[in-house]
Amino acid sequence: SLFTQHQHPARKLLNGMAQAGVLYRGASEESALQQKMQATVVQALRSFKGDSTLFEYLMQDFNTFVSALSQRVELREKRAVEAARGRDKLLAARNQACALVNSAVNQYPAPSVIRNFLEHTWVDVLIFAFLRHGPASSQWQRYAEVAQQLAWSGTYLDKDTDRARFEVIRIALLEDLQKGLELLGSHHP
């Protein structure tokens, strides 16, 4: 009757096991699924006494296992997608921050100490601001402006207007540098 009756509980169980075997082919899922299938078959062989309700119980137990397995697979896939998005966002932030710093140091050829600071430290502040607040945020805009101002301040200021401008921005520039470094946890008074 197992093969002639489509609604026979043993056939439903067998079909459910076959379907699960096709769906879950990942190494960890396949191993866990194979062990559950073997345990289900062993239990059916040991406990079957002619009553088909055993197969209904085994099918319910197996379906519960497959449901939990499905949830684990979906969660792992969701995490993988989120990790890929995070990597993409980090890469975009790094590219934009590096491009901004490169533009600043190319526009204003600063001494190596300022150049190194911008390329190795301030770029991390920019990345952090990009990731936390976004490229359209006032924080990102201000830290980008700080990079430009710092690179500019390291050039030779020969005009009185340049020196006057430097005196106007100097305090705010230092404060924003301090705030940026505090974001990274790398500022020491």
Side-chain angles (χ1 to χ4, degrees), residues 136-153:
S137 68
S138 61
Q139 292 88 344
W140 164 264
Q141 298 300 324
R142 179 59 190 143
Y143 291 140
E145 185 180 7
V146 166
Q148 291 284 335
Q149 289 176 343
L150 184 61
W152 170 81
S153 73

Side-chain angles (χ1 to χ4, degrees), residues 16-127:
M17 291 171 77
Q19 191 173 29
V22 170
L23 290 176
Y24 301 104
R25 294 198 158 267
S28 62
E29 295 88 26
E30 192 171 8
S31 175
L33 187 60
Q34 186 177 18
Q35 289 174 4
K36 182 61 177 175
M37 286 180 179
Q38 287 174 345
T40 302
V41 169
V42 167
Q43 188 174 359
L45 292 173
R46 286 186 183 156
S47 302
F48 184 65
K49 306 282 189 245
D51 186 10
S52 63
T53 57
L54 170 67
F55 294 110
E56 291 172 4
Y57 164 77
L58 292 174
M59 186 174 60
Q60 183 180 9
D61 180 56
F62 186 77
N63 287 342
T64 301
F65 172 83
V66 169
S67 177
L69 181 66
S70 174
Q71 289 175 350
R72 285 193 305 267
V73 168
E74 286 176 21
L75 182 60
R76 189 169 41 246
E77 288 172 355
K78 183 179 176 183
R79 286 180 183 159
V81 167
E82 289 172 359
R85 283 187 191 137
R87 282 189 301 274
D88 291 345
K89 191 172 181 180
L90 177 61
L91 183 60
R94 180 168 300 286
N95 288 340
Q96 194 160 348
C98 288
L100 188 136
V101 166
N102 287 335
S103 171
V105 297
N106 288 334
Q107 184 178 0
Y108 305 109
S112 62
V113 67
I114 292 176
R115 177 186 216 89
N116 288 338
F117 174 79
L118 288 170
E119 291 175 343
H120 299 291
T121 303
W122 199 251
V123 75
D124 290 338
V125 172
L126 290 167
I127 291 168

